Amino acid sequence: ALVVQGMTAHYLTTSAHADLIKEGEWCLIHGVGGGTCQWAAQMAKLRGFKVIGTAAKGKADIANGTGCDELILLDEAPGTSYEDYTSVDVVGKVMEVTGGAG
């Protein structure tokens, strides 16, 4: 499973965005408290991207360990450990962090 997670994270931070993100630009990665996205956040940092990560509040310790430049913590959806994306204005936070660049 680790190999697949690593390969997926590598693909997401290299080929999936068709080189539209350049070194020094912002990259938003959802769910950095989970396995594949932990790897993706770290690989994005290695590529020189500035990373905004999202995570459920219950996974804050894990998410903080990924090295994201900014972290948006979300409430958990009732009865789950998953992020409730209605609990925070993620777009507004991203716009604030990036100075309106998105």
Side-chain angles (χ1 to χ4, degrees), residues 5-95:
Q5 286 182 332
M7 290 173 57
T8 301
H10 182 268
Y11 170 72
L12 292 172
T13 57
T14 56
S15 304
H17 57 75
D19 288 326
L20 295 174
I21 302 172
K22 303 296 181 203
E23 187 174 329
E25 294 182 337
W26 287 101
C27 175
L28 174 65
I29 300 177
H30 290 285
V32 296
T36 301
C37 294
Q38 287 178 45
W39 287 55
Q42 293 173 22
M43 287 181 184
K45 290 297 297 176
L46 288 171
R47 293 186 52 83
F49 303 155
K50 295 185 283 187
V51 177
I52 302 170
T54 68
K57 288 179 180 175
K59 296 182 179 181
D61 289 342
I62 295 167
N64 280 317
T66 62
C68 291
D69 296 285
E70 296 286 338
L71 188 58
I72 301 171
L73 294 176
L74 306 158
D75 293 334
E76 295 173 356
T80 74
S81 61
Y82 302 115
E83 300 89 343
D84 176 3
Y85 284 96
T86 64
S87 68
V88 174
D89 178 9
V90 175
V91 173
K93 292 278 191 187
V94 168
M95 296 301 279

